[in-house]
Amino acid sequence: MKASEIRQLFLDFFQSKNHRVLPSASLIPANDPSILWTAAGMVPFKPYFTGAAIPEFKRVTTCQKCLRTPDIESVGRTARHHTFFEMLGNFSFGDYFKESAIPWAWEFVTKYLKLDPARLWISIYLDDDEAFEYWRSLGISADRIVRLGKDDNFWEIGVGPCGPCSEIHYDLGPERGCGKPDCAPGCDCDRYLEIWNLVFIQYYRDEEGNYSELTKKGIDTGMGLERVAAVLQNVPTNFDTDIFRDIIDYAAQILKVEYGKDKETDLALKVIADHTRAITFAIGDGVLPSNEGRGYVIRRLLRRAVRFGLLCGQEDVFLHKVAHKVVEKMEDAYPELRSQEGNISSVIAHEEARFRETIKQGTAILDRLMEEAIASGTRVLSGNDAFRLYDTYGFPLELTKEICAENNIAVDEEEFARFMERQRKRARQARQETEYLSEKDALFQQVREQVGETLFVGYESITAEATVQAIISEREQVSGANAGDEVDVIFDRTPCYAESGGQVSDSAIIEGKEVTGRVTHVFKPVENLFAHRIKIEQGRLQTGMQVSLSVDAFKRKNTCRNHTATHIIHKVLRDVLGEHVRQAGSLVTPDRLRFDFTHFKPVSKAELARIEERANEIILSNYPVRAFITSYSEAKQMGAIALFGEKYGHKVRVVEIDNWSRELCGGTHVSSTAEIALLKITSEGSVGAGTRRIEALTGPAALEYLSQRSDQVTQVANLLKSTENEIVPRLESMINNVKHLSSEVEKLKDRLQAFEVKELINNARTYDGVNILVAPVKASDMSELRGLVDLLRDKLGSSVIILGSANADKVSLVAAVSKDLTSKGLHAGKIIKNVAAVVGGGGGGRPEMAQAGGKDPARLHEALDKGFKTITGILENGTE
């Protein structure tokens, strides 16, 4: 059975059990900064298990793309370690529990996958007698049900929902085992392969570590597609399944090697296939290589794959070709890959080319390090240097060893291993598991359970009559708040937009019987609950009180202008620069907008002008802007753009600009583009590798900006005594004149310097056959002083020179010793150190050239006298 057949069979099976089949979520977790990647099938549903969000469907099944990197060095060396993998899962949110999850799992593996029941074993948590009885009721003998402890069969992560697990294991046979008589699931050997994990979410763990039974229990299961495919296809490793073999064989063809011939080549091909899958899907989901966060992970995986290609002798850029095979292999299940293939290929090819340049730099450094090792007589490259090559330049230890061996140089692998372990330790410390719920989130979740969700009426109106449902002050619910207090207030309804999707929240006025206040911020601590940060100005606000809320209309209007403008910019960018452009972040405020997008090079002036021109054409076209609710699948069919990293439910809100642009968006917008009035781009620049940023103004802010620019032009014209139309030619004329005058000044300075050099040479003294020149000079900076020393050295030949100059409260000193005199004990660095000490400074340098600074110009002549005496003392006595 092919992997694609297993995937579809699983989804169809649970669809027949009344589960909603949902598409895979992005590899970028939505609204969860605590984790970098979607690393398990349950990650997209985490808010449902914690209670932070309300699920649209009680039963869900998915095939979730996942990415994990803690064991990256194990990829290709073991049968089943991967960075990218697919997790089949079925989920229940307060619907069915063990009574259904266990029989369905058994039914699927025995009747649909047709696995031999005699080769299946079950593990359960130590005291989960309920699960034991359900498994026994299916005819599984008690001796094939193994009880394991908390480390193996209990799922929890800090405070929040948790519960016992039950796993289905497949017996790969005694030849894969350890041979011990008590070998069973839980043994460290490879005999018993876990193929499906059923997690029973039935407890809540509090801060003290106490467990309480949940009223609404859940099911979270995960079956690794690669693992079960290996079992069904009867192959020794996941890499030998049809999932990988097509990619591995294609990579082998490019590299002109053969899979299955030797271990090192096989390792390289496995790593290339695995890592290319990961980077292809990650880039497809909007991640770009960079030096931090997700971008760093992708850069590291890409470079690791390229390095293994280099070890196979691949000299040309090749990884983008392997990515094409990944797209071809996976596009049926993940059609977004095909639409993004051009972007994926460009990013990978560009990044690989850059890395190959880095490798060249690393090779040059390694060459120097090998020269030093040979010169020292040790012929050993230190582990520290090998690690630095690995960490900074991406040199694998194997490549370093290979190049060193060719030059009969050993590598200190023990020291390298120590540095690697330190790095791993730092990485482990950085991967601290975060708690599901903060204390504040748990409080607001409790509030929502008490008072229900907030009805948002802000799309239709900017005023509303509302009832105070709850008041929170310093993380506690209170019954009221007085003048001067700042509290978070929950109403039954609100016209106030809560900060989300890059758009700032509304501000508003609250008025009630003998109470007034200002809403300064609105946020959603848990899904569909609007918390209003309110400063009470007069009277007392109490729960149950009726009040009126009035949104700041001016602020809202300008925010709407800027939000609709971001949609226009997004579409225009894709039209002008290409379909690879994606939104990578935004900020929408009443005063300005910021739009981050993916692109690989600076936007040219001509392109930027075209983008602004086209955006204003759309604005002046007075296109209607409307929002409507539809299903996610229908929105995608209409061509609506979804933002990567955002989580969307079955029903979504689409914002449409005429028939020209459609995006999934929950923000507030103008009703027609003409209401924006004007868009002015104020800047464009880089904010990271592959990510650009446009900042712009609209409406009144844009007009004010242009007005200020017009005033500045008028002021410049007045200063130049010119009309505004003649500013540019007038400035060009002045600049050319300044350049001519500067050239004349430089010529005069050269002539003056020539006279000064001649005079200084005439003042040089000879001592014990050595030309000595020590003198104060005029020099604007250290660079000019060094230039003068170079001229004098060329003229004097064998000599010792010390020059000093004073500017304001600073002293600059330079010393030079011709190479033939260094053998007499003359060292420019040591000489200058003595001289600088007199003027309260310090410095140093090489035997032949050194410089220093000081803070006491009044003692410059004294310092130079000290320099002359130091030189003569060395010539006379061989010491200072």
Side-chain angles (χ1 to χ4, degrees), residues 253-267:
Q253 183 182 335
I254 294 172
L255 299 177
K256 295 180 175 59
V257 295
E258 189 174 344
Y259 181 65
K261 285 291 186 182
D262 66 81
K263 288 183 178 179
E264 293 305 315
T265 300
D266 287 357
L267 171 62

Side-chain angles (χ1 to χ4, degrees), residues 1 30 76 333 416 487 512 806:
M1 193 182 293
F416 177 87
V487 290

Side-chain angles (χ1 to χ4, degrees), residues 767-821:
Y767 187 89
D768 197 18
V770 174
N771 290 324
I772 302 173
L773 174 59
V774 178
V777 296
K778 291 181 179 180
S780 58
D781 53 31
M782 188 68 77
S783 178
E784 187 177 338
L785 196 61
R786 284 197 305 269
L788 188 56
V789 167
D790 287 338
L791 282 172
L792 290 165
R793 193 163 50 176
D794 290 341
K795 298 286 186 182
L796 285 171
S798 178
S799 60
V800 183
I801 302 168
I802 303 176
L803 298 184
S805 67
N807 289 297
D809 57 350
K810 188 171 75 171
V811 175
S812 297
L813 298 161
V814 174
V817 177
S818 55
K819 193 169 185 178
D820 62 303
L821 296 178

Side-chain angles (χ1 to χ4, degrees), residues 19 107 126-127 176 220 225 279 305 312 327 353 424 444 518 534 557 564 584 622 659 667 669 722 738 754 773 816:
H19 286 61
E107 179 185 0
L126 281 173
D127 59 3
R176 301 287 291 272
D220 157 25
L225 178 60
I279 60 178
C312 290
V327 173
R424 290 192 187 103
F444 279 112
R518 288 189 175 275
I534 295 179
K557 187 67 175 180
T564 305
N622 196 23
N659 196 29
H669 291 267
S722 168
V738 168
L773 174 59

Side-chain angles (χ1 to χ4, degrees), residues 9 80 93 119 140 163 175 203 261 278 294 356 446 486 535 572 606 646 680 714 733 742 818 848 852 856 876:
L9 191 65
R80 305 181 213 292
F93 312 116
R119 300 186 71 168
I140 302 168
E175 66 277 7
Y203 301 115
K261 285 291 186 182
R294 298 182 188 96
R356 286 178 178 274
Q446 186 180 28
E486 189 171 65
K535 178 79 170 179
V572 170
E646 290 290 328
K680 179 61 187 174
T714 301
S733 174
S742 296
S818 55
E848 296 171 41
D856 191 353
E876 189 173 332

